[in-house]
């Protein structure tokens, strides 16, 4: 594993009994790199994050190789680690921000104590230093009068303020990897802008790797340099945001970008019919064999019943899985038609 | 009825709705929340009128008032010239034929124990129309669903299809006005476009007046002719859609527009830092004037 790689996921499969939920998910994130993971509900975004964090719900099995270089070189497969070892890494080497800040915070504990707790649990600071650092962190995430906020309970804060507190907790031990799962979906747009800015500043200041999960293409393009597109439990396309959204190869990405563009920026009349992807996302485990998108794809042929190989699109420092697509009939190429 | 054509579809005159919160002390009166404050607006027949605002701005309260599900503490609400604001629910039967609603979450607004046939027919039954098999099939066809869907239950459909069922139910009594409260907010991007196209089709096809509420500015922009921006219970700006987008007058509208992380902007190099800085700057301007 090269020095700069913080997280490497190789051939991750997650299944519930005999139902596959994630298949052959492979990607890597370098230090200081901001990577988006985008997909519709049921595509497997959150499962990917939970697999890395070791937080999969009971009854789900994961196989594959997940390695994290945090504090020490990545010598262990996280999927093989026991709960004690994982608990030592969560909140320290890697941390996560969830969608709903109210359920992520303890309602009976003052927020300052909750920020300090993560430092005390991992023994990164003394009791007193942790308390002081908690106030500093609350200030870093832009909360006015942080000493006062530290004494507040979660219910006294607004949704945006709570999410800042959760972010402060996640960043408290300077993790090598920060995972954000739809951190701004429950927030108003004006608040969202500020929280996105804080996430980017937080990981930039620590040179942390960021995995940012969302269904909003505009948010990914604003926050991340590179994006992974997920559908039906597989990564179907990956690459720099500019290329994946500006010139998509996979037919699913192409449809997604077209369907989410309501602005009519390409000169079409406002009230024109929106391009759509036919049908809807199948429930988990009901995706077709071969290409997972073929039942909704206008370009599908017989060959699509076999799994499409990963086609690298160009060189990328984070490896072959960082820039490419898995499609037999890609858009944008010569064979388009 | 020739004289009716000039009557606006919906007219609000100085509408306010206050809620009394729980008392926090025996010595002070219960605090009062102004959910809607002195809103006046006229929506013409056939217009597509949008209301945008963030959570807590009063959008949903306003819709409830217009739909006769709640009564204003002050002001008048007229739907097709007839008063809604001072009528008890039992005298609003005509309103249920004239104005129908589509809600945000099609899972909680469709009864899980009813077949689609009965869900779509329920507004008809409420009017005393019992032989409606044909009509249900017509309605399902109008929203792009097959007749066999009629015998299934809501949980057997995806979110987008459930929202189609909601639209079919709303169309059942043959309304003139369709009120949609965040109809695509719970849907995936690829399905959202389908439902927006459907709403567009039925509004055109059935000559409806549309009142469309959303927190998502780009959705409202796509759907509506005229938009009201709501904040803290008030309309801070009402303007034709393109005018609002190209030349927003109120600082809050400017702030909202600046806050949207849109794909084209991001690909052109607009970072999270730019976005936040823009919002903060407009926010300060807003605080100065407002």
């Amino acid at each position: 594993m090269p020095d700069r790689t913080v997280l490497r996921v190789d051939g991750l499969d997650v299944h519930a009994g005999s139902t596959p939920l994630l298949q052959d998910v492979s990607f890597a994130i370098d230090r200081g790199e901001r990577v988006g993971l985008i997909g519709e509900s049921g595509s497997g975004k959150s499962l990917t994050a939970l697999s890395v964090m070791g937080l999969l719900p009971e009854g789900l099995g994961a196989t594959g190789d997940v390695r994290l270089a945090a504090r020490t070189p990545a010598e262990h497969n996280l999927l093989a680690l026991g709960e004690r070892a994982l608990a030592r890494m969560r909140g320290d080497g890697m941390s996560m921000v969830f969608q709903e800040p109210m359920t992520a915070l303890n309602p009976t504990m003052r927020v300052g104590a909750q920020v300090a707790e993560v430092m005390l649990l991992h023994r990164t600071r003394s009791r007193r230093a942790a308390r002081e650092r908690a106030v500093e962190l609350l200030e870093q995430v832009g909360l006015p009068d942080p000493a006062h906020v530290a004494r507040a309970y979660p219910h006294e804060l607004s949704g945006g303020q709570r999410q800042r507190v959760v972010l402060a907790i996640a960043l408290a031990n300077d993790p090598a990897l920060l995972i954000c799962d739809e951190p701004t979906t429950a927030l108003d747009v004006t608040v969202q802008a500020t929280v996105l800015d804080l996430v980017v500043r937080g990981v930039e200041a620590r040179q942390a790797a960021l995995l940012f999960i969302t269904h909003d293409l505009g948010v990914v393009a604003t926050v991340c340099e590179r994006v992974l597109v997920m559908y039906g439990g597989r990564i179907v396309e990956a690459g720099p945001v500019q290329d994946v959204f500006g010139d998509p190869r996979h037919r699913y990405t192409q449809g997604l970008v077209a369907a989410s563009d309501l602005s009519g920026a390409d000169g079409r009349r406002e009230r024109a019919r929106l391009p759509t992807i036919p049908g809807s996302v199948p429930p988990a485990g009901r995706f077709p064999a071969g290409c997972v998108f073929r039942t909704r794809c206008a370009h599908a042929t017989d060959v699509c019943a076999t799994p499409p190989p990963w086609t690298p699109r160009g060189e990328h420092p984070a490896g072959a899985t960082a820039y490419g697509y898995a499609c037999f009939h890609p858009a944008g190429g010569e064979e388009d038609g | 009825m020739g004289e009716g054509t000039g009557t606006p579809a919906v007219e609000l005159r100085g509408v306010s709705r206050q809620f009394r919160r729980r008392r926090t002390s025996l010595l002070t009166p219960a605090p009062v929340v102004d959910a809607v404050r002195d809103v006046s607006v006229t929506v013409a027949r056939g217009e597509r009128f949008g209301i945008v605002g963030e959570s807590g701005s009063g959008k949903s309260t306003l819709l409830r008032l217009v739909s006769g599900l709640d009564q204003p503490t002050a002001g008048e609400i007229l739907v097709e010239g007839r008063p809604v604001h001072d009528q008890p629910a039992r005298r609003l039967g005509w309103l249920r034929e004239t104005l129908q609603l589509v809600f945000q979450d099609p899972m909680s607004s469709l009864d899980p124990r009813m077949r689609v046939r009965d869900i779509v027919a329920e507004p008809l039954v409420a009017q005393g129309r019992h032989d409606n098999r044909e009509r249900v099939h017509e309605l399902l066809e109008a929203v792009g669903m097959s007749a066999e869907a009629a015998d299934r239950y809501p949980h057997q459909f995806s979110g987008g299809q459930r929202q189609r069922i909601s639209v079919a139910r709303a169309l059942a009594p043959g309304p003139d006005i369709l009120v949609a409260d965040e109809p695509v907010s719970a849907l995936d991007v690829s399905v959202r476009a389908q439902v927006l196209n459907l709403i567009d089709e039925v509004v055109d096809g059935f000559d409806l007046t549309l009142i469309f509420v959303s927190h998502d500015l780009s959705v409202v922009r796509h759907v509506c002719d005229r938009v009201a921006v709501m904040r803290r219970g008030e309309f801070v700006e009402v303007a034709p859609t393109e005018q609002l987008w190209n030349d927003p007058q109120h600082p809050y509208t400017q702030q909202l527009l600046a806050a949207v992380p849109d794909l084209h902007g991001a690909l052109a190099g607009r970072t999270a830092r730019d976005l936040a800085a823009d919002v903060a700057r407009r926010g300060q301007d807003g605080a100065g004037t407002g």
Side-chain angles (χ1 to χ4, degrees):
Chain A
M1 195 147 126
D3 276 347
R4 291 194 53 81
T5 310
V6 172
L7 175 72
R8 176 175 295 285
V9 176
D10 249 324
L12 174 68
D13 281 26
V14 172
H15 45 88
S18 59
T19 309
L21 299 175
L22 292 186
Q23 289 182 64
D24 195 21
V25 170
S26 301
F27 63 94
I29 309 181
D30 282 354
R31 200 149 63 87
E33 208 188 4
R34 299 190 303 272
V35 176
L37 178 56
I38 195 158
E40 300 178 276
S41 52
S43 61
K45 312 182 292 286
S46 295
L47 275 184
T48 305
L50 295 176
S51 307
V52 173
M53 295 293 293
L55 292 172
L56 279 179
E58 214 155 309
L60 297 192
T63 57
D65 199 83
V66 177
R67 283 170 199 270
L68 178 75
R71 313 280 184 264
T72 54
E75 32 189 53
H76 298 291
N77 181 359
L78 296 195
L79 299 178
L81 285 184
E83 178 53 30
R84 278 179 71 101
L86 278 170
R88 270 201 292 276
M89 307 187 80
R90 286 195 292 258
D92 184 26
M94 57 180 177
S95 55
M96 185 156 171
V97 174
F98 295 90
Q99 177 173 346
E100 230 343 295
M102 197 60 210
T103 50
L105 292 172
N106 182 343
T108 67
M109 217 172 143
R110 296 185 195 273
V111 300
Q114 298 190 51
V115 180
E117 185 185 34
V118 69
M119 292 179 269
L120 297 175
L121 282 176
H122 292 287
R123 307 219 169 99
T124 51
R125 279 191 172 74
S126 69
R127 192 161 287 277
R128 189 200 169 115
R131 209 163 36 225
E132 284 164 8
R133 178 71 181 147
V135 176
E136 266 172 52
L137 283 160
L138 290 173
E139 186 172 12
Q140 278 177 21
V141 294
L143 285 164
D145 196 358
H148 180 76
V149 170
R151 297 189 46 77
Y153 288 96
H155 76 267
E156 297 174 71
L157 306 177
S158 70
Q161 290 174 327
R162 280 181 213 142
Q163 201 58 300
R164 289 167 197 229
V165 173
V166 173
L167 184 62
I169 295 173
L171 295 174
N173 288 327
D174 301 325
L177 171 70
L178 177 68
I179 301 181
C180 293
D181 189 357
E182 305 260 11
T184 57
T185 307
L187 305 179
D188 282 327
V189 274
T190 48
V191 180
Q192 166 174 277
T194 322
V195 172
L196 294 180
D197 182 34
L198 289 168
V199 169
V200 173
R201 283 171 193 266
V203 295
E204 268 180 357
R206 292 163 179 83
Q207 277 296 294
L210 174 70
L211 181 64
F212 193 99
I213 299 177
T214 174
H215 65 278
D216 188 323
L217 278 67
V219 170
V220 172
T222 303
V223 170
C224 301
E225 305 136 334
R226 189 154 65 82
V227 63
L228 315 168
V229 182
M230 209 162 192
Y231 184 80
R234 288 172 181 271
I235 293 177
V236 297
E237 180 156 14
V241 166
Q242 288 281 350
D243 298 352
V244 171
F245 290 154
D247 180 21
R249 286 289 185 267
H250 199 283
R251 294 294 176 180
Y252 172 65
T253 319
Q254 187 190 30
L256 195 65
V257 171
S260 65
D261 184 10
L262 302 177
S263 66
D266 50 353
R268 67 163 197 260
R269 234 179 61 74
E270 279 310 310
R271 197 55 58 66
R273 278 185 72 81
L274 295 167
T276 59
I277 301 177
S280 51
V281 185
R286 299 271 193 76
F287 287 90
C291 174
V292 279
F293 186 58
R294 71 188 163 97
T295 46
R296 297 176 73 190
C297 182
H299 301 266
T301 57
D302 292 344
V303 70
C304 299
T306 53
W310 186 258
T311 313
R313 208 174 144 181
E315 290 292 313
H316 195 280
T321 55
Y323 191 22
Y325 55 89
C327 181
F328 285 112
H329 308 289
E334 305 78 58
E335 64 161 328
D336 193 2
Chain B
M1 297 237 286
E3 84 255 0
T5 50
T7 322
V10 174
E11 196 176 354
L12 305 185
R13 297 181 188 149
V15 172
S16 298
R17 176 69 169 101
Q18 295 184 326
F19 290 103
R20 213 166 274 280
R21 281 170 60 170
R22 237 185 328 173
R23 288 178 75 157
T24 50
S25 155
L26 287 170
L27 305 175
T28 54
V32 169
V33 179
D34 293 292
V36 175
R37 279 194 272 197
D38 194 23
V39 169
S40 298
V41 73
T42 303
V43 180
R45 288 192 185 207
E47 198 179 358
R48 295 159 174 238
F49 185 71
I51 303 173
V52 288
E54 299 186 289
S55 52
S57 60
K59 315 182 288 286
S60 296
T61 304
L62 191 66
L63 278 197
R64 288 176 56 80
L65 294 173
V66 170
S67 320
L69 301 172
D70 188 10
Q71 293 195 348
T73 36
E76 293 175 355
I77 300 169
L78 305 174
V79 173
E80 301 199 332
R82 298 174 68 173
V84 171
H85 56 277
D86 54 357
Q87 302 293 313
R90 66 188 158 80
R91 294 177 62 185
L92 287 174
W94 63 272
L95 184 65
R96 310 284 172 243
E97 284 172 50
T98 309
L99 180 148
Q100 279 285 322
L101 287 147
V102 174
F103 297 96
Q104 172 171 0
D105 181 358
M107 203 62 234
S108 61
S109 56
L110 300 175
D111 189 331
R113 294 168 302 180
M114 281 168 80
R115 291 182 193 274
V116 169
R117 171 187 311 289
D118 301 319
I119 290 173
V120 175
E122 201 176 20
L124 299 170
V125 173
Q127 292 171 14
R129 289 154 67 179
H130 290 280
D131 183 27
N132 39 42
R133 204 184 162 79
E134 282 297 297
R135 175 78 177 139
V136 168
H137 290 173
E138 250 174 62
L139 288 163
L140 287 175
E141 200 188 328
V143 299
M145 294 190 70
S146 64
E148 68 193 61
D151 293 314
R152 292 157 70 187
Y153 290 93
H155 74 263
Q156 295 174 285
F157 297 93
S158 67
Q161 288 172 315
R162 281 184 220 139
Q163 210 54 312
R164 286 176 191 271
I165 298 168
S166 300
V167 173
R169 174 178 62 182
L171 295 175
D176 300 324
I177 302 166
L178 183 67
V179 174
D181 189 2
E182 303 265 12
V184 294
S185 303
L187 302 178
D188 280 321
V189 177
S190 74
V191 178
R192 180 181 73 177
Q194 293 174 9
V195 173
L196 289 176
N197 282 341
L198 173 68
I199 290 177
D200 195 45
E201 264 169 47
V202 300
V203 169
D204 264 355
F206 294 86
D207 283 326
L208 302 177
T209 304
L210 178 69
I211 300 183
F212 188 100
V213 166
S214 180
H215 70 282
D216 187 331
L217 286 92
S218 57
V219 170
V220 170
R221 179 185 188 185
H222 178 78
V223 174
C224 301
D225 306 323
R226 195 157 64 105
V227 178
V229 179
M230 205 166 179
R231 183 180 64 165
R232 295 183 203 141
E234 291 175 314
F235 280 3
V236 298
E237 184 165 1
V238 184
T241 309
E242 280 318 292
Q243 188 183 321
L244 191 91
W245 252 264
N246 298 328
D247 187 20
Q249 297 298 311
H250 195 280
Y252 178 68
T253 314
Q254 295 169 359
Q255 193 189 9
L256 268 186
L257 289 173
V260 179
D262 107 296
L263 185 56
H264 297 287
L267 292 184
R270 198 152 171 253
T271 63
R273 192 160 298 183
D274 302 338
L275 209 64
D278 254 13
V279 171
R281 188 158 47 82
R282 315 252 184 213
Q284 276 157 16
D285 295 355
T289 36

